[in-house]
Amino acid sequence: ETGVTQTPRHLVMGMTNKKSLKCEQHLGHNAMYWYKQSAKKPLELMFVYSLEERVENNSVPSRFSPECPNSSHLFLHLHTLQPEDSALYLCASSQERYTNQPQHFGDGTRLSIL
Amino acid sequence: QKEVEQNSGPLSVPEGAIASLNCTYSDRGSQSFFWYRQYSGKSPELIMFIYSNGDKEDGRFTAQLNKASQYVSLLIRDSQPSDSATYLCAVHTGANSKLTFGKGITLSVRP
């Protein structure tokens, strides 16, 4: 099992659809993160969960809704997205939140909004 | 605003050469520094981290940190075509602080 697994790898959806991204980590970490990666821009932190509690929401529009049912799983629910939301969405985990230990990333979901 | 700056690139070096990737940061309180490698269509992969001033070597990779000048660099010796990727610099400023990433620099190693 790889450390952090994301599904699906690719997703194409219309602006009125509802879909969910899934992330699972097998590293025994307590913190999980959602990032957005757009071309020519730094990774943008979206959400941080620590022990299943959301500890940061980085001014993300409400059309993105995270869920963390347990410390190993993280979801990002999507609805009524906009074309500018097309990007690579990366999940990461670390031993604790905001630690100086490195974060480990999944392979991401490439999202395209029609 | 805490910022991490990387040269826009791309950087092209011949096979066997030393590739030097640089990163500067704005927050003097920064404590932990990371270099990630990202192949096209893949996730960022941690290749080096450094916490103290000076050099840290791991195989062909050397991370250099100078807190007084607020820069961190990554040297890749004997560059190989397989090193061609985007390299992301990330900085952690301390407790209760998130990781801040640079835009990344694309390295191309010519055979």
Side-chain angles (χ1 to χ4, degrees):
Chain A
E1 292 266 19
T2 56
V4 181
T5 304
Q6 289 186 243
T7 55
R9 292 295 312 280
H10 302 275
L11 179 62
V12 179
M13 57 187 286
M15 289 191 285
T16 58
N17 292 156
K18 290 183 180 181
K19 296 287 185 182
S20 296
L21 310 185
K22 179 182 176 182
C23 176
E24 183 175 0
Q25 58 98 358
H26 307 278
L27 300 170
H29 289 167
N30 292 321
M32 297 186 76
Y33 311 79
W34 279 118
Y35 286 90
K36 176 183 179 182
Q37 188 176 36
S38 304
K40 310 291 186 187
K41 296 177 69 175
L43 266 71
E44 300 172 54
L45 180 64
M46 300 175 72
F47 301 104
V48 181
Y49 275 83
S50 176
L51 295 172
E52 303 143 44
E53 176 187 354
R54 189 191 312 180
V55 296
E56 182 156 343
N57 176 346
N58 220 26
S59 302
V60 179
S62 59
R63 57 185 183 269
F64 294 91
S65 175
E67 178 189 1
C68 188
N70 56 63
S71 59
S72 298
H73 293 85
L74 186 64
F75 294 89
L76 188 62
H77 304 299
L78 316 171
H79 64 97
T80 59
L81 295 192
Q82 303 300 307
E84 62 265 28
D85 297 323
S86 297
L88 180 66
Y89 289 84
L90 291 164
C91 173
S93 70
S94 63
Q95 189 59 51
E96 305 294 339
R97 73 177 172 105
Y98 301 151
T99 176
N100 65 350
Q101 295 299 307
Q103 294 179 15
H104 297 263
F105 287 84
D107 279 341
T109 295
R110 174 69 64 185
L111 177 65
S112 298
I113 306 300
L114 301 178
Chain B
Q1 174 139 0
K2 301 170 186 176
E3 293 185 347
V4 176
E5 299 286 343
Q6 294 183 250
N7 291 340
S8 58
L11 175 66
S12 180
V13 301
E15 185 174 356
I18 296 175
S20 178
L21 313 177
N22 299 314
C23 174
T24 59
Y25 57 94
S26 62
D27 191 325
R28 278 199 175 274
S30 300
Q31 298 182 0
S32 309
F33 307 86
F34 306 89
W35 282 100
Y36 286 85
R37 177 177 62 199
Q38 186 174 23
Y39 292 115
S40 180
K42 293 290 190 179
S43 64
E45 172 194 9
L46 180 73
I47 54 172
M48 288 288 286
F49 60 90
I50 186 167
Y51 302 143
S52 304
N53 270 332
D55 295 359
K56 179 181 179 182
E57 187 174 318
D58 183 2
R60 294 186 297 112
F61 298 98
T62 299
Q64 298 177 317
L65 175 60
N66 184 323
K67 289 187 177 181
S69 301
Q70 294 178 237
Y71 82 77
V72 56
S73 61
L74 179 70
L75 301 179
I76 306 175
R77 290 182 300 281
D78 188 24
S79 295
Q80 301 297 309
S82 58
D83 295 325
S84 298
T86 297
Y87 290 81
L88 307 175
C89 173
V91 176
H92 182 257
T93 56
N96 296 319
S97 175
K98 62 186 179 184
L99 203 56
T100 301
F101 286 83
K103 291 183 181 180
I105 182 169
T106 299
L107 171 67
S108 175
V109 180
R110 309 186 301 271

